[in-house]
Amino acid sequence: MGNSGSAVKVCTDHQGGINWLSLSPDGQRLLTGSEDGTARLWSTADSQCHGHFQGHESYITFCHLENEAAFTCSADHTIRKWDVLTGQCLAIYRGHTSIVNRILVAKDYLFSGSYDRTARCWSVDKEKQIQEFRGHRNCVLTLAHYSSRDVLEEEEEEEEEERVSRDLLVTGSTDCTVKVWWVSSGRCYQTLLGHTGAVLCLILDAPNRELFSGSTDYTIRTWNIVTGEQLKVFKEHQGSVICLELVNRHLYSGSADRTVKCWLVDTGERIQTYKAHKHSVSTLKYHAGILFTGSGDACARAFNSKSGVLQKIFRGHKFIINCIQIHNELLYTASHDGTLRIWDIRGICKRNKRRLKKERSVQGRSSQKGSLSRLFNNKVGCMVQQENGEHEAVELM
């Protein structure tokens, strides 16, 4: 394990805890939303604050950054859209009657979920509400979006009224359910039943028709988003499942039990557990073979995703790390202590790239030996295979 890292820069402009951190699609800017009721825009080139968005009447719960516009939602029941160049508020979306927990921007739509038990759809370019999704018995905590074109074959039947718009919204709620809605009509398409606790996180794999949900019931569940069938239940966590990340059919889950687990999606097998956290795992991010985590113990950590070995601890925050982002081999951590910290991870990434290159080289040589072994008789072939097996064992160790 490497030594504890020191932050390249500590940004202390906010006067309250930072609840969310969003990276623009082009990677040029970061947006932070804070308990102080403001959002700040940061340049990834110089790590300086280049925008201060003021106007909300209460704390900001979540934020989302596009290349030209920023979106924030708040406990003041509203959502705001901002011009990233001028800092001007371009639109205020009013309609929710309680705290807005989450927003999602997709195509020309802005979706929101609230403690008022509803989700809503808005036009991005106007302050107009397009649709309201009503049916949850408790607050809506998390959102996902997809198009039926991503999952349905052309010959699969759909109701004629839904052909105009095939967009669907997925909502997770503290009422223990996940619901799938037609955006065009606001009609509930599926209610996914099975969780016995609040649904805290969702992650969608539309090409494979799968949805993953994490809950306070300690489980992760996989659903077929076309049929609504529950496919698998991942049960090994001993605490609420707080965050999920899906990479190359590997599912990573962060939990209040102080661990992250890695699962093979296709089999449901748990293949790795990442320990060392002293509090709940609040956020995680996979990058180049490394799993980065943020925790309630105020530390960020870097693990070798394959072996589970802890490679580095990033110390400096005073309270829980709520969100992390990675860009140009810099790690950004946002905390309830009100600071944004920037860490250099080039050393870890470089070492990991060398390790991956070495592994590929070894696998290539093993593959060549395997091919040659088939050209010899069984006795010689068995000897070569045994050699390969011993070599692989050394590599795994």
Side-chain angles (χ1 to χ4, degrees), residues 104-358:
L104 185 157
V105 178
K107 301 180 180 177
D108 297 324
Y109 297 131
L110 168 64
F111 298 99
S112 56
S114 168
Y115 271 93
D116 67 11
R117 305 181 183 185
T118 72
R120 300 180 191 230
C121 176
W122 317 78
S123 167
V124 168
D125 298 323
K126 302 174 184 177
E127 298 175 47
K128 179 183 177 183
Q129 180 178 301
I130 297 173
Q131 197 57 260
E132 180 177 319
F133 308 93
R134 189 174 289 273
H136 279 297
R137 299 188 308 276
N138 217 321
C139 61
V140 178
L141 289 181
T142 185
L143 307 168
H145 168 270
Y146 68 99
S147 169
S148 63
R149 292 184 182 89
D150 299 332
V151 299
L152 294 176
E153 300 295 337
E154 287 298 324
E155 64 271 13
E156 292 187 77
E157 294 184 3
E158 297 178 57
E159 294 184 23
E160 188 64 33
E161 64 179 286
E162 307 298 356
R163 291 185 183 276
V164 177
S165 173
R166 299 185 179 189
D167 290 281
L168 293 109
L169 176 69
V170 187
T171 55
S173 169
T174 55
D175 68 8
C176 310
T177 70
V178 176
K179 288 181 179 286
V180 184
W181 314 79
W182 288 107
V183 172
S184 60
S185 65
R187 185 174 64 85
C188 183
Y189 168 64
Q190 300 271 11
T191 298
L192 309 181
L193 300 172
H195 281 298
T196 57
V199 178
L200 301 182
C201 49
L202 295 172
I203 194 160
L204 185 66
D205 183 4
N208 288 295
R209 303 183 172 196
E210 290 177 335
L211 176 74
F212 304 88
S213 55
S215 169
T216 58
D217 65 11
Y218 303 1
T219 71
I220 306 148
R221 294 171 192 256
T222 312
W223 315 84
N224 182 303
I225 53 176
V226 176
T227 66
E229 177 189 2
Q230 182 175 282
L231 303 175
K232 293 185 183 71
V233 183
F234 305 86
K235 290 185 175 179
E236 291 191 27
H237 278 299
Q238 301 301 309
S240 299
V241 179
I242 298 170
C243 48
L244 295 170
E245 177 98 325
L246 181 64
V247 182
N248 299 326
R249 304 298 286 169
H250 288 67
L251 182 68
Y252 300 88
S253 55
S255 171
D257 67 10
R258 307 182 180 187
T259 73
V260 176
K261 294 183 184 293
C262 178
W263 316 80
L264 291 179
V265 169
D266 296 324
T267 65
E269 179 188 2
R270 193 266 305 155
I271 59 171
Q272 192 58 259
T273 298
Y274 309 84
K275 301 179 180 179
H277 308 95
K278 297 177 182 177
H279 206 284
S280 300
V281 178
S282 47
T283 183
L284 55 86
K285 185 80 68 175
Y286 176 96
H287 176 74
I290 306 166
L291 185 69
F292 293 90
T293 65
S295 172
D297 63 17
C299 292
R301 290 173 173 83
F303 295 87
N304 180 306
S305 63
K306 187 174 182 180
S307 68
V309 172
L310 177 62
Q311 294 184 309
K312 196 153 192 156
I313 303 175
F314 303 90
R315 292 189 176 95
H317 283 295
K318 303 300 181 186
F319 298 113
I320 182 173
I321 296 173
N322 288 321
C323 192
I324 59 179
Q325 292 288 348
I326 297 165
H327 179 67
N328 279 352
E329 298 191 343
L330 289 173
L331 171 68
Y332 298 86
T333 57
S335 167
H336 205 70
D337 65 13
T339 68
L340 170 66
R341 290 177 182 257
I342 306 167
W343 316 81
D344 189 341
I345 57 172
R346 284 177 297 180
I348 304 174
C349 294
K350 192 173 182 180
R351 287 194 300 273
N352 198 58
K353 286 176 182 176
R354 286 201 300 264
R355 180 185 63 78
L356 289 172
K357 187 176 181 180
K358 183 180 178 181

